[in-house]
Amino acid sequence: MSHSHPTLIGWKESIDLPDWGISDITAKTDTGARRSAIDVENIVELPGNRVQFEVAADRRTGQLKKTVIADIEHQTHVRSSNGQQHERYFVATRVRVGETEKKIELSLSNRKHMQCRMLLGRLALSGDFLVDCSKSFVTRPNRKPKVRKR
């Protein structure tokens, strides 16, 4: 559901991951990062090229968690901002930012010491979003994250 004109977003936005039943998670838009990442715990590789992990949707308490099972898109070595290399799983899911929804790839990583649990990189932003780094929560107000129980 892309628009012909890019959606204006801020450096931080409240977004949804509808396939995973997670809404209002705070994501940092990072035009300096090529790929997107999400903070997860307890990663377990499953048979059939799948992976299970827990998303901690609420950064403040760490209590709001959702267990997700997803297909592994690929694995690769990623160099983090501190220069260390790590083997990471990549999964695909839909993301909704404002009225724009698209499928993106996410690196499963440990971001618990970062300000935002999720990072939207250039590949996810490309063609659909224009970032105004002087603003935050342009598409909707900051709200507490929600996790839909199955």
Side-chain angles (χ1 to χ4, degrees):
M1 182 166 45
S2 291
H3 299 285
S4 57
H5 299 292
T7 300
L8 181 68
I9 61 174
W11 74 273
K12 200 163 42 168
E13 286 293 333
S14 183
I15 68 159
D16 302 330
L17 301 169
D19 295 338
W20 297 350
I22 298 171
S23 57
D24 298 312
I25 190 169
T26 300
K28 175 184 176 186
T29 58
D30 188 348
T31 58
R34 184 168 182 262
R35 300 175 184 265
S36 300
I38 188 163
D39 181 36
V40 301
E41 301 172 334
N42 304 320
I43 299 172
V44 178
E45 191 168 342
L46 301 174
N49 202 38
R50 294 168 64 86
V51 66
Q52 177 179 297
F53 52 92
E54 283 183 344
V55 177
D58 188 349
R59 186 181 74 80
R60 287 176 215 91
T61 65
Q63 298 301 308
L64 197 58
K65 294 186 180 179
K66 174 76 178 215
T67 300
V68 175
I69 296 175
D71 291 332
I72 299 170
E73 295 293 313
H74 59 93
Q75 289 175 259
T76 191
H77 282 75
V78 174
R79 187 175 312 275
S80 63
S81 57
N82 65 9
Q84 291 185 318
Q85 272 204 213
H86 304 280
E87 181 79 16
R88 291 221 187 126
Y89 293 102
F90 284 82
V91 299
T93 192
R94 287 180 302 138
V95 65
R96 186 179 308 121
V97 185
E99 298 296 314
T100 303
E101 188 173 293
K102 70 190 285 188
K103 190 171 186 174
I104 67 167
E105 261 192 13
L106 286 169
S107 161
L108 304 181
S109 64
N110 180 337
R111 295 184 52 81
K112 69 180 176 186
H113 298 296
M114 304 294 184
Q115 184 180 5
C116 296
R117 292 289 182 167
M118 191 166 159
L119 183 87
L120 288 175
R122 288 190 313 270
L123 291 175
L125 299 168
S126 178
D128 293 299
F129 302 104
L130 180 63
V131 181
D132 182 340
C133 61
S134 70
K135 297 184 172 146
S136 58
F137 303 107
V138 173
T139 60
R140 66 177 173 221
N142 186 15
R143 300 186 280 224
K144 286 188 176 185
K146 292 183 261 329
V147 170
R148 186 178 67 235
K149 305 291 183 201
R150 286 193 181 224

